Amino acid sequence: MFNIALIGFGAVGKSFVKLLQLKKNLLPDNMKLKYIIKSDGGIYDKDGLDIDEIVKYTNSNNKIQKHPLWSNISFKDMIKNKDIDILVELTSTNIINGEPGYTHIKSALENNINVVTGNKGPILLYYHELKNISLKNDVYLKIGCTTGGALPSVNAGTIDVLGSQVTEIIGVLNGTTNFILEEMIKSNMDYKEALKKAQDLKIAEKDPSLDVLGIDTAIKMAILSKVIWDVDFDFEKLKIQGITNVRKKDLLDNISKKKTKLVGRAYFLNGNFEFEVKPMLLNKDHPLYFVDGKNKGVHYKTDILGDITVIGGASSPLNAAASIFRDLLYIIENRRR
Amino acid sequence: MFNIALIGFGAVGKSFVKLLQLKKNLLPDNMKLKYIIKSDGGIYDKDGLDIDEIVKYTNSNNKIQKHPLWSNISFKDMIKNKDIDILVELTSTNIINGEPGYTHIKSALENNINVVTGNKGPILLYYHELKNISLKNDVYLKIGCTTGGALPSVNAGTIDVLGSQVTEIIGVLNGTTNFILEEMIKSNMDYKEALKKAQDLKIAEKDPSLDVLGIDTAIKMAILSKVIWDVDFDFEKLKIQGITNVRKKDLLDNISKKKTKLVGRAYFLNGNFEFEVKPMLLNKDHPLYFVDGKNKGVHYKTDILGDITVIGGASSPLNAAASIFRDLLYIIENRRR
């Protein structure tokens, strides 16, 4: 049996439910979505919610709070009911203390519930602890969506290099800054103009700090480092520099042979974990030189499989939901055997 | 228990045994290599061969036929003994009838033995049949090494896009032709001179037909198509064109914006399976434009995860063995749960 609860019902959560409908043929007959929970209540059906009905309901812009099944049911009630195998955790991310995601994920794993999440905060802050609980209880903790959405960056750094040792991770993992830097060259704009354009196109957020200060890139690189090396460090102490001081003039130097991108690098030097995020010049023959526009990419150096690069970047809520769906199917396929 | 038999003991087979030694810490204590079999006999120890001893023995260029444990033991004896869980099949490839690999793989799967292979012939010709036997008997058939060695092309087109539909596969999958085409430009050579250079550097084989006629690329693309779409077709009828007629002049046209590469494309058009291998001009913004030198890459278009590209290409016998080792560990990790 695959009984699923969804907590968090924003754009990605809604797209995820749509995928459960659209991709029904890939799901086992005994899969049920029993809960959709938000901070102020939720809907629940012990026999499984009617997915077609919910998609129709939300497509018509109806508030889930007005749904006939809506009650003040909470995450704690769900845990008490003991009728769930997989939790899909999609509440808003919080990188200060990881809540409420941290409590949700920890509590689920402790109750032998598999977890799929796209929530960066709890994974950044508590990955080591959460992973250990999942191993102890032999349940999955799948986090692919936290490090680039549709880009299979976690898979590439784990499953695709199984048996080899990753010796370095290099990532261009933020589409917004990639777009801004490219726009400064293509449209001959300075940083502020290009940021404004990205905001007008809804590529950058109103408060673009997380992206342009390099924090989003650093979070993704930090999570990949923890997943791949099981290394622990204080995120606050990492060297992180954004693109706010990049000048048009710097970008145009050597433009035929080099490109400036916001790059994250993590590796070990003399046994010490080294980490940096900053604008870097990439040579024309660098495997991430061509990761342009809204694309993202990550490059792994390994001991016995050579270098492996994966590039992707579809970043709509549906694409992020597809990343969650990929991790869900991975659990189902491996639990089915 | 993980009891392994290795059949085929050329450069990749020898490197594989070295990896069993080098990566011992990743392997379970109950793993044993019981057989190393060649066409004229083999070595066998029912309690597990001494891997350190065998590595030392072969490192000193001793013929395995002179090893104290050598006997006329055959593949059939191994099947009869019923003491193996995983067969690593690395005999020479044969794309005319797939033998002897086809018989080895089929017989192993029928006897509930998991198979890891890098042998293109049987997979190209009999994938559908072999896959069905593996599914029926709930054992693994892992073939990652057949489509680009270290490049995780099968993983990328299956595990990394789980839940999405691949709508098109585009591959630059042959390092030799990639090297030749690049050399024609870089060193201002015509085709024959560049081929000669590749042969001198041992990048091209003495008889380079499989590479330069596009057959190697076509085999890899055909296998990916069969794995991803479960489509059946007659390999002999595919449109395959190599690089033997590419002129230096063609390559130099538009060189600043376009590059000629030997490309494979597979997709569905109005329900029909379409397939072609030929030299194609790739635009500067094409994700495989930058797959240079000995590198390889494959680009997948999908319905809900956008486009995903994976690039790699380490191609020494050790790297190919690392690809076999990756598939072996995948089986072990998933069987352990």
Side-chain angles (χ1 to χ4, degrees):
Chain A
M1 292 288 284
F2 297 102
N3 297 306
I4 298 176
L6 169 63
I7 185 156
F9 198 56
V12 178
K14 281 176 186 147
S15 291
F16 172 74
V17 177
K18 280 178 200 168
L19 284 181
L20 293 183
Q21 183 190 46
L22 186 68
K23 298 283 185 173
K24 203 180 165 173
N25 63 318
L26 300 178
L27 294 164
D29 291 336
N30 59 358
M31 191 225 80
K32 284 179 183 139
L33 176 67
K34 289 193 176 178
Y35 299 80
I36 296 177
I37 295 178
K38 290 184 60 107
S39 56
D40 53 345
I43 61 177
Y44 169 53
D45 187 330
K46 67 179 172 41
D47 300 319
L49 295 163
D50 180 343
I51 290 172
D52 292 338
E53 187 269 328
I54 289 166
V55 170
K56 206 173 152 195
Y57 185 84
T58 51
N59 273 349
S60 315
N61 283 319
N62 293 305
K63 281 199 136 185
I64 192 79
Q65 285 86 347
K66 303 278 181 196
H67 191 279
L69 290 175
W70 180 267
S71 73
N72 64 353
I73 194 165
S74 70
F75 176 80
K76 280 187 182 167
D77 298 322
M78 185 211 87
I79 292 288
K80 266 185 220 150
N81 286 346
K82 291 193 181 299
D83 59 353
I84 286 301
D85 309 296
I86 303 172
L87 174 70
V88 176
E89 216 289 343
L90 293 174
T91 61
S92 303
T93 202
N94 163 345
I95 61 166
I96 306 305
N97 63 15
E99 294 296 2
Y102 171 58
T103 297
H104 295 155
I105 296 170
K106 184 173 174 179
S107 170
L109 296 172
E110 284 174 342
N111 285 276
N112 301 307
I113 296 169
N114 299 279
V115 174
V116 179
T117 188
N119 194 337
K120 295 183 178 72
I123 300 306
L124 174 70
L125 299 170
Y126 301 108
Y127 178 74
H128 188 74
E129 179 195 7
L130 296 172
K131 183 71 190 174
N132 280 341
I133 302 171
S134 80
L135 290 174
K136 202 186 70 191
N137 289 346
D138 197 21
V139 287
Y140 286 95
L141 170 60
K142 295 289 283 179
I143 61 152
C145 190
T146 64
T147 55
L151 181 77
S153 43
V154 170
N155 276 5
T158 53
I159 299 168
D160 294 344
V161 295
L162 206 59
S164 71
Q165 175 70 32
V166 173
T167 55
E168 183 170 351
I169 310 170
I170 308 178
V172 172
L173 289 165
N174 183 272
T176 305
T177 50
N178 220 16
F179 176 87
I180 292 172
L181 291 173
E182 201 181 339
E183 207 52 40
M184 287 169 72
I185 300 169
K186 252 183 23 190
S187 307
N188 192 29
M189 288 175 165
D190 65 24
Y191 167 71
K192 282 190 177 163
E193 291 170 307
L195 170 60
K196 172 83 171 45
K197 181 168 178 181
Q199 286 173 319
D200 290 346
L201 291 169
K202 309 259 177 193
I203 291 169
E205 292 179 55
K206 248 188 206 169
D207 175 359
S209 314
L210 280 179
D211 291 329
V212 299
L213 295 179
I215 298 166
D216 175 72
T217 299
I219 291 171
K220 290 168 182 164
M221 286 295 298
I223 291 175
L224 288 175
S225 300
K226 290 186 177 200
V227 170
I228 291 168
W229 291 314
D230 196 19
V231 62
D232 217 3
F233 49 80
D234 188 347
F235 185 72
E236 305 249 319
K237 289 189 182 150
L238 296 176
K239 282 174 259 175
I240 305 172
Q241 184 190 326
I243 63 163
T244 51
N245 293 323
V246 174
R247 292 167 309 171
K248 196 162 62 183
K249 186 182 151 298
D250 304 332
L251 293 181
L252 293 173
D253 284 356
N254 292 312
I255 188 65
S256 68
K257 286 184 189 155
K258 292 182 181 186
K259 252 188 235 172
T260 301
K261 294 188 179 293
L262 182 63
V263 177
R265 268 187 79 200
Y267 55 100
F268 284 85
L269 188 67
N270 303 325
N272 293 317
F273 177 65
E274 302 282 337
F275 185 103
E276 57 181 345
V277 170
K278 66 179 185 192
M280 292 186 205
L281 267 177
L282 297 185
N283 276 322
K284 208 170 172 173
D285 58 356
H286 192 282
L288 298 177
Y289 176 89
F290 244 113
V291 179
D292 276 337
K294 291 198 290 171
N295 266 323
K296 306 182 189 89
V298 59
H299 177 71
Y300 294 104
K301 293 189 189 300
T302 78
D303 60 345
I304 56 172
L305 281 166
D307 296 351
I308 287 173
T309 307
V310 62
I311 297 169
S315 59
S316 72
L318 181 78
N319 303 135
S323 171
I324 296 290
F325 188 68
R326 167 171 60 200
D327 281 351
L328 174 72
L329 271 189
Y330 187 87
I331 296 175
I332 290 175
E333 299 244 323
N334 283 290
R335 283 284 169 195
R336 230 200 281 224
R337 293 193 74 96
Chain B
M1 291 291 283
F2 297 102
N3 296 306
I4 298 177
L6 169 63
I7 184 156
F9 198 55
V12 178
K14 283 178 184 144
S15 291
F16 173 73
V17 178
K18 281 178 199 166
L19 284 182
L20 292 183
Q21 182 189 47
L22 185 69
K23 297 283 185 173
K24 202 179 166 175
N25 63 319
L26 299 178
L27 293 164
D29 292 336
N30 59 359
M31 191 224 79
K32 285 180 182 137
L33 177 66
K34 289 193 173 177
Y35 299 81
I36 297 177
I37 296 179
K38 289 183 62 108
S39 55
D40 53 345
I43 60 177
Y44 169 52
D45 188 329
K46 66 178 172 42
D47 300 319
L49 296 163
D50 181 343
I51 289 171
D52 293 338
E53 187 269 327
I54 289 166
V55 170
K56 208 172 151 192
Y57 184 84
T58 50
N59 273 350
S60 315
N61 283 319
N62 292 306
K63 279 199 141 187
I64 191 79
Q65 284 87 346
K66 305 274 181 201
H67 191 279
L69 291 175
W70 181 266
S71 73
N72 64 353
I73 192 165
S74 71
F75 176 80
K76 279 185 183 170
D77 298 321
M78 184 211 87
I79 292 287
K80 268 186 216 147
N81 288 345
K82 290 193 182 300
D83 59 353
I84 286 300
D85 309 298
I86 303 172
L87 173 71
V88 176
E89 215 289 344
L90 294 175
T91 61
S92 305
T93 203
N94 164 343
I95 61 166
I96 307 305
N97 63 15
E99 294 296 1
Y102 171 59
T103 298
H104 295 156
I105 296 170
K106 184 173 173 178
S107 170
L109 295 173
E110 284 173 343
N111 285 278
N112 301 305
I113 297 169
N114 299 280
V115 173
V116 179
T117 188
N119 194 335
K120 295 183 181 72
I123 301 306
L124 173 70
L125 298 171
Y126 301 108
Y127 178 74
H128 187 74
E129 180 195 7
L130 296 172
K131 183 71 191 175
N132 280 340
I133 303 172
S134 81
L135 289 174
K136 202 186 72 191
N137 290 348
D138 198 21
V139 288
Y140 286 94
L141 170 60
K142 296 289 283 179
I143 61 151
C145 190
T146 63
T147 55
L151 180 76
S153 44
V154 170
N155 276 5
T158 52
I159 299 168
D160 294 344
V161 296
L162 206 57
S164 71
Q165 175 70 34
V166 173
T167 55
E168 183 170 350
I169 310 172
I170 307 179
V172 173
L173 290 165
N174 183 271
T176 305
T177 50
N178 220 16
F179 176 87
I180 292 172
L181 292 172
E182 200 181 340
E183 208 52 39
M184 287 169 73
I185 300 170
K186 253 182 25 191
S187 307
N188 192 29
M189 290 174 162
D190 65 23
Y191 167 71
K192 282 190 178 162
E193 292 170 307
L195 170 60
K196 172 83 172 43
K197 180 167 179 182
Q199 285 172 321
D200 290 346
L201 291 169
K202 310 257 176 194
I203 291 169
E205 292 178 56
K206 249 189 206 169
D207 175 358
S209 315
L210 280 180
D211 290 330
V212 300
L213 295 179
I215 297 166
D216 175 72
T217 299
I219 291 171
K220 291 168 182 164
M221 287 295 297
I223 292 176
L224 289 175
S225 300
K226 290 187 177 199
V227 171
I228 291 166
W229 291 314
D230 196 21
V231 63
D232 218 4
F233 50 81
D234 187 347
F235 185 73
E236 305 249 319
K237 291 191 181 148
L238 295 176
K239 283 174 259 176
I240 305 172
Q241 185 191 325
I243 63 163
T244 50
N245 293 322
V246 174
R247 293 167 309 173
K248 197 162 60 182
K249 186 182 151 298
D250 304 332
L251 293 180
L252 293 174
D253 284 354
N254 291 311
I255 189 66
S256 67
K257 286 183 190 156
K258 292 181 181 188
K259 254 188 233 170
T260 300
K261 294 187 178 295
L262 182 62
V263 177
R265 268 187 80 201
Y267 55 100
F268 283 86
L269 188 66
N270 303 323
N272 293 316
F273 177 66
E274 302 282 337
F275 185 102
E276 56 180 347
V277 169
K278 65 179 186 190
M280 292 186 207
L281 267 177
L282 298 185
N283 276 321
K284 208 172 172 170
D285 58 357
H286 193 282
L288 299 177
Y289 176 90
F290 244 113
V291 179
D292 276 337
K294 292 198 290 173
N295 266 322
K296 305 183 191 87
V298 59
H299 177 71
Y300 294 105
K301 293 190 188 302
T302 79
D303 61 345
I304 58 172
L305 282 166
D307 295 352
I308 287 172
T309 308
V310 62
I311 297 169
S315 58
S316 72
L318 181 78
N319 303 135
S323 171
I324 296 289
F325 188 68
R326 167 171 60 199
D327 280 350
L328 174 72
L329 272 189
Y330 187 88
I331 295 176
I332 291 176
E333 299 244 324
N334 283 290
R335 282 285 169 195
R336 227 199 284 224
R337 294 194 73 93

